[in-house]
Amino acid sequence: MKPVVVRRIARADGETIRLLGELGVATVHEAQGRRGLMRPYMRPVYPSARLSGSAVTVWCQPGDNLMIHAAMEVVASGDVLVVATTSESDDGMFGELLGESCRAHGVVGLAIDAGVRDTSELTAMNFPVWAKAISAQGTVKATAGCVNVEVVCAGALVRPGDVIVGDRDGVVVVPRQAAVEVARLGGERRAKEERSRARLKSGELGLDMYGLRGKLAELGVEWVESEESLR
């Protein structure tokens, strides 16, 4: 791929992004048919981290963060950096100084399929980061890459402007064109879960609430009074 930095991208509207962030990763993932989830090794550097924003994608060589610096010229307030590498890397490609630069330019967080460092400082800054690894291994700034092109980050396809949602459960990607519909479906799912929660709290069994007794019978599960009945 020819090295390129794309300056302008389309983004979802701010209210839709906010709603998706409120719904959270698990609900959004279910609402869009269990798609878009980054691999579970992507963990937040501090447990209370949350984010939702538009993806600015960065494609780097492993151990080289040059293109993250290049991306800072084209970000907008509310964006999320999504960093992928051309091959696997655990190197600490992002730290406190880049976090300060992100803050200065309105970037609300980072998802990187590589390592980060300075996690104590990033935590103190309340700058949300999801990463594959934590590593003090330094990096260089030597090799060209791309900004705002289609990438695969932690197994998930990410296009510039897609909505990124992150919380303690991980990171999920919502295609920009589907964001409004996924937010609507997620709201419906949340309302349904609230009704289910009330029923379960009252003591109703999931077997009855979800109509699972018929499924157990279909699978040949039998109810017996005691273990002795099996002898």
Side-chain angles (χ1 to χ4, degrees):
M1 181 183 296
K2 178 182 177 181
V4 63
V5 176
V6 178
R7 290 186 176 275
R8 295 181 179 85
I9 63 172
R11 295 170 172 85
D13 69 275
E15 179 62 12
T16 298
I17 293 171
R18 184 189 67 80
L19 288 172
L20 289 167
E22 284 186 359
L23 290 169
V25 170
T27 297
V28 169
H29 179 234
E30 293 286 349
Q32 64 177 359
R34 299 183 178 179
R35 291 176 292 181
L37 194 64
M38 290 189 184
R39 288 179 180 151
Y41 60 65
M42 295 288 281
R43 307 311 306 154
V45 297
Y46 57 94
S48 62
R50 293 183 69 95
L51 67 72
S52 59
S54 297
V56 167
T57 60
V58 187
W59 194 56
C60 297
Q61 292 292 321
D64 191 318
N65 66 4
L66 174 63
M67 298 312 295
I68 301 178
H69 288 274
M72 301 313 300
E73 188 174 30
V74 300
V75 296
S77 181
D79 283 345
V80 176
L81 289 182
V82 178
V83 180
T85 57
T86 59
S87 60
E88 288 193 17
S89 176
D90 295 328
D91 295 343
M93 295 174 59
F94 186 98
E96 177 194 6
L97 296 182
L98 270 170
E100 293 287 6
S101 183
C102 284
R103 273 285 166 81
H105 293 277
V107 174
V108 298
L110 167 77
I112 179 169
D113 194 6
V116 293
R117 55 184 176 175
D118 301 335
T119 55
S120 295
E121 291 82 356
L122 292 169
T123 299
M125 293 167 57
N126 290 320
F127 187 76
V129 172
W130 283 254
K132 176 182 180 181
I134 295 173
S135 174
Q137 177 64 48
T139 56
V140 299
K141 300 169 179 61
T143 312
C146 297
V147 175
N148 280 330
V149 299
E150 184 178 291
V151 301
V152 175
C153 182
L157 177 65
V158 187
R159 298 180 177 90
D162 285 349
V163 180
I164 306 299
V165 179
D167 60 26
R168 189 179 295 196
D169 288 335
V171 183
V172 68
V173 183
V174 181
R176 177 180 60 83
Q177 296 90 338
V180 171
E181 177 66 3
V182 172
R184 183 188 69 80
L185 292 172
E188 292 178 356
R189 182 174 183 83
R190 180 170 60 182
K192 180 181 178 182
E193 287 178 347
E194 288 172 355
R195 294 191 296 271
S196 297
R197 185 178 300 109
R199 293 172 66 180
L200 291 168
K201 274 186 172 183
S202 73
E204 185 173 353
L205 292 174
L207 283 175
D208 298 315
M209 189 174 75
Y210 298 120
L212 298 176
R213 293 189 184 276
K215 173 57 71 174
L216 289 173
E218 179 185 326
L219 293 171
V221 177
E222 297 182 10
W223 302 91
V224 298
E225 291 303 320
S226 68
E227 185 180 354
E228 292 179 354
S229 303
L230 300 176
R231 294 173 183 169

